[in-house]
């Protein structure tokens, strides 16, 4: 504290006298409050959670740090199906987001013309309607006697998806398909916006050049557009996959007990069962699993400078 | 054959519009069902046209209370996160100092962390400290997760600023304060506004982190969550529709103003 009082941020010195010293300290004063906030309320909680995960005891008698690492093993062996499901659902939702989001991002970047602003508004504005309300709306859309289920049934799509195990009988709600549909919907804007940003940066003359060199549109896309949009693809997939793998809202509102993801388990362990060590261990396993997957993915896609 | 060719030529437009429809379909449903008169507790099936919910949006107990609580939290956390975030962004772009890399990763990490992990760890901190959960813990959590997004938004804007403009101001004998207020701040303003808007939307809509750290305090998303189990009043759809319309109006207005300014300058 002594050093803090020695040099107040707005020292009444004339700036010409000591501009260097002021300049050297200024960034630290600017950073101090925000970084302190993140250290106390983001980094420190992680430390507390780490210590909680190796504690044993009970809610009544209190907990003690006993370095009981078996909690991790027990949590993993009991809940690996939920982990696997999270990766599977979040992965499918990410791929669907990429397939659905790319054409729209491309449309806004190159084809929309004077409609560009309107389409951008329509992509962003749903953000402001509470995502819970919008997720509940999917209950109406996918309702058992609703038009979507009716149409899919008439086209015998539901027979195929039931055979694949992603729907059950003639329902869509409370099945994996509904959960993935909700996840895809909720995280789609996180895919579209980075894709649009990287597509928009591409010089249109490159497309002309490719055309002049007799490349067909599909070849131009494969050899020019898509590789140049890679930074957007990478950040879009990360922004979709990471939150989707920890989500428990879609699985809760649109799924059933058979579609519980790891987020649902963490939530119920923490807020209902009150088994804090197991909950903390699960949350750390999720964090490390994502960290490893993201590192591998970034290595593979070769845009390390991105993050 | 011609139809196939037409389809091929317009593939991007058709696929893009299909995605746009997918994005907007729930909003359409929310709007339509705000005029429903449901029989029973749940508003999932269409029964009869009614404007009852629109004329009495606060007719459900606790709904407008939770809404005003969410607005208050969003306001204060936007203020806090924007202030702290803007300071960090300026430090990161304008100064070279030690620990810059460490600061950058500390900013990046909250955005790359599943919300449930942050929510759970913050709850362990509060439980260990014996802090009473409620308004303040929600506010602390919201400032924490909005901060990184504000930094990113402001950084992008400040980075594209020409530092020579500030040098020019100083050459014209503007003091540091004057330079900041007259030159730096107006140029950075759109970035700061974007960051603040993002923070407001994130805070207002956050459910996962709030659910862990709210105790028995009920914000609007938590009210909606509870109503999914107990029965959803039509008023929720009314508020959802109103929020969508306000957002569209806001964006359109800001674009119109932006266009007019650009034209005046030209």
């Amino acid at each position: 504290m002594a050093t803090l009082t020695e040099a107040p941020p707005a020292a009444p010195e004339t700036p010409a006298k000591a501009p260097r010293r002021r300049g050297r300290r200024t960034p630290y004063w600017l950073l101090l409050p925000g970084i302190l906030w993140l250290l106390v309320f983001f980094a420190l909680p992680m430390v507390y959670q780490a210590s909680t995960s190796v504690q044993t005891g009970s809610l009544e008698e209190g907990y003690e740090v006993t370095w009981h690492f078996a909690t991790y093993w027990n949590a993993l062996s009991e809940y690996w199906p939920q982990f696997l499901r999270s990766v599977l659902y979040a992965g499918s939702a990410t791929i669907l987001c990429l397939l659905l989001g790319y054409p729209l991002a491309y449309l806004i970047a190159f084809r929309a013309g004077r409609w560009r602003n309107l389409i951008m508004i329509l992509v962003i504005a749903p953000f402001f309607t509470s995502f819970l309300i919008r997720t509940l709306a999917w209950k109406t859309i996918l309702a058992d006697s609703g038009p979507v289920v009716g149409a899919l049934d008439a086209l015998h799509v539901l027979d195929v998806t039931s055979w694949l195990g992603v729907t059950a009988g003639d329902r869509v709600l409370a099945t994996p398909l509904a959960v993935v549909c909700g996840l895809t919907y909720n995280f789609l804007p996180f895919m579209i916006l980075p894709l649009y940003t990287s597509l928009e940066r591409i010089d249109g003359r490159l497309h002309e050049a490719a055309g002049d060199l007799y490349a067909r549109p599909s070849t131009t896309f494969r050899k020019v557009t898509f590789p140049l949009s890679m930074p957007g693809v990478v950040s879009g997939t990360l922004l979709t996959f990471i939150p989707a793998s920890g989500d428990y809202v879609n699985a809760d509102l649109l799924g059933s007990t058979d579609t519980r993801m790891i987020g649902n388990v963490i939530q119920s362990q923490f807020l209902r069962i009150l088994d804090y060590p197991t909950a903390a261990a699960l949350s750390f396993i999720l964090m490390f699993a994502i960290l490893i997957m993201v590192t591998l993915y970034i290595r593979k896609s070769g845009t390390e400078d991105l993050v | 054959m011609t139809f196939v060719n037409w389809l091929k030529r317009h593939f991007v437009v058709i696929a893009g519009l299909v995605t746009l429809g997918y994005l907007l379909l729930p909003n359409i449903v929310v709007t339509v069902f705000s005029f429903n008169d449901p029989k029973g507790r749940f508003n999932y099936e269409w029964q009869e046209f009614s404007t009852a919910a629109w004329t009495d949006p606060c007719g459900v107990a606790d709904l407008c209370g939770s809404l005003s609580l969410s607005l208050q939290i969003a306001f204060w956390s936007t203020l806090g996160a924007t202030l702290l975030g803007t300071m960090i962004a300026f430090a990161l772009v304008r100064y070279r100092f030690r620990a810059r890399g460490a600061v950058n990763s500390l900013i990046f990490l909250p955005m790359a962390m599943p919300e449930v992990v942050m929510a759970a760890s913050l709850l362990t901190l509060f439980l260990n400290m014996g802090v009473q959960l409620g308004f303040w813990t929600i506010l602390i959590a919201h400032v924490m997760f909005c901060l990184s997004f504000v930094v990113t938004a402001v950084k992008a804007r400040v980075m594209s600023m020409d530092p020579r403009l500030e040098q020019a101001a100083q050459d014209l004998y503007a003091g540091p304060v004057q330079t900041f207020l007259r030159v730096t701040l107006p140029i950075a303003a759109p970035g700061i506004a974007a960051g603040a808007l993002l923070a407001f939307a994130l805070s207002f809509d956050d459910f996962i982190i709030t659910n862990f750290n709210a105790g028995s305090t009920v914000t609007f998303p938590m009210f909606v969550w509870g109503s999914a189990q107990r029965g959803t009043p039509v008023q929720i759809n009314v508020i959802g529709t109103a929020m969508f319309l306000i957002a569209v109006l806001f964006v359109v207005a800001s674009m119109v103003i932006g266009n007019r300014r650009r034209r005046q300058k030209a």
Side-chain angles (χ1 to χ4, degrees), chain A residues 9-13 15 22, chain B residues 95 166 169-170 173-186:
Chain A
E13 298 167 313
R22 211 196 64 222
Chain B
Y95 297 93
E166 285 160 317
Q170 277 170 354
Y173 296 105
V177 177
Q178 219 177 351
T179 310
F180 181 77
L181 290 179
R182 291 286 190 85
V183 180
T184 317
L185 206 56

Side-chain angles (χ1 to χ4, degrees), chain A residues 30-31 37 41 45 48-49 100 104 106 126 128-132 136 138 140 181 185 248 267 270 287 290 307, chain B residues 12 16 19 22-23 26-27 33 44 84 87 97 108 113-114 120-122 125 128 140 205 211 221 225 240 243-244:
Chain A
L30 286 171
L31 289 170
W37 200 282
F41 299 118
Y48 267 97
Q49 196 171 23
L100 284 168
L104 184 54
Y106 192 97
F128 287 82
T129 307
S130 174
F131 85 101
L132 283 169
L136 283 174
W138 280 103
T140 305
C181 173
Y185 166 75
Y248 59 83
Q267 190 251 10
F270 246 116
M287 194 177 94
I290 285 178
V307 180
Chain B
V12 173
T19 305
Y22 179 65
L23 269 175
N27 278 88
F33 276 73
Y44 297 139
L84 301 181
M87 284 162 68
F97 53 90
F108 171 73
M113 192 76 68
S121 62
L122 197 55
L125 176 83
N128 274 295
I140 285 171
D205 206 20
N211 186 29
W225 175 262
M243 272 152 62
F244 180 75

Side-chain angles (χ1 to χ4, degrees), chain B residues 22-258:
Chain B
Y22 179 65
L23 269 175
L24 291 174
L25 184 61
N27 278 88
I28 296 165
V29 170
V30 169
T31 309
V32 169
F33 276 73
S34 72
F35 292 104
N36 192 16
D37 182 17
K39 309 274 177 281
R41 292 188 297 147
F42 292 96
N43 184 18
Y44 297 139
E45 261 172 64
W46 181 257
Q47 303 283 347
E48 216 176 297
F49 182 84
S50 153
T51 52
W54 278 92
T55 50
D56 186 21
C58 284
V60 184
D62 303 334
L63 186 139
C64 282
S66 70
L67 194 63
S68 101
L69 179 70
S70 273
L71 286 172
Q72 282 172 43
I73 290 172
F75 176 79
W76 291 114
S77 46
T78 300
L79 202 67
T82 307
L83 195 70
L84 301 181
T86 304
M87 284 162 68
I88 295 179
F90 268 97
L92 283 174
V93 177
R94 280 303 163 80
Y95 297 93
R96 295 281 167 275
F97 53 90
R98 267 184 293 162
R100 210 157 157 275
V103 168
N104 264 321
S105 10
L106 186 64
I107 300 294
F108 171 73
L109 272 174
M111 292 190 287
M113 192 76 68
E115 266 194 89
V116 73
V117 175
M118 275 193 283
S121 62
L122 197 55
L123 178 62
T124 28
L125 176 83
F126 289 143
L127 287 175
N128 274 295
M129 296 282 182
V131 178
Q132 177 80 36
L133 298 176
F135 182 86
W136 292 103
T137 50
I138 301 175
L139 196 59
I140 285 171
H142 283 204
V143 172
M144 184 269 287
F145 75 77
C146 291
L147 195 52
S148 304
F149 290 93
V150 175
V151 174
T152 318
V154 180
K155 237 172 89 177
R157 179 75 191 181
V158 180
M159 257 200 278
S160 66
M161 254 167 81
D162 192 340
R164 283 173 300 183
L165 289 171
E166 285 160 317
Q167 283 166 19
Q170 277 170 354
D171 287 348
L172 295 166
Y173 296 105
V177 177
Q178 219 177 351
T179 310
F180 181 77
L181 290 179
R182 291 286 190 85
V183 180
T184 317
L185 206 56
I187 301 175
I192 297 172
L197 202 65
L198 194 60
F200 191 89
L202 286 172
S203 163
F204 187 79
D205 206 20
D206 179 75
F207 172 70
I208 294 181
I209 290 181
T210 315
N211 186 29
F212 273 76
N213 294 292
S216 55
T217 311
V218 178
T219 62
F220 181 66
M222 287 179 69
F223 182 89
V224 178
W225 175 262
S227 79
Q229 266 90 38
R230 285 183 275 106
T232 39
V234 187
Q235 277 79 355
I236 283 183
N237 289 45
V238 171
I239 289 164
T241 311
M243 272 152 62
F244 180 75
L245 293 178
I246 292 169
V248 170
L249 272 179
F250 230 99
V251 182
V252 170
S254 72
M255 275 178 176
V256 169
I257 293 168

Side-chain angles (χ1 to χ4, degrees), chain A residues 31-102:
Chain A
L31 289 170
L32 190 69
I35 293 303
L36 215 58
W37 200 282
L38 283 181
L39 284 176
V40 175
F41 299 118
F42 176 76
L44 188 65
M46 294 288 165
V47 177
Y48 267 97
Q49 196 171 23
S51 109
T52 304
S53 71
V54 291
Q55 287 173 351
T56 45
S58 67
L59 205 57
E60 293 80 29
E61 293 158 20
Y63 291 95
E64 211 179 323
V65 177
T66 50
W67 302 105
H68 190 258
F69 281 105
T71 311
Y72 279 86
W73 177 246
N74 293 339
L76 201 55
S77 58
E78 194 176 344
Y79 294 110
W80 67 267
Q82 281 84 346
F83 272 111
L84 196 68
R85 210 177 278 144
S86 298
V87 174
L88 219 60
Y89 289 3
S92 321
T94 308
I95 292 167
L96 281 171
C97 277
L98 187 61
L99 293 177
L100 284 168
Y102 209 106

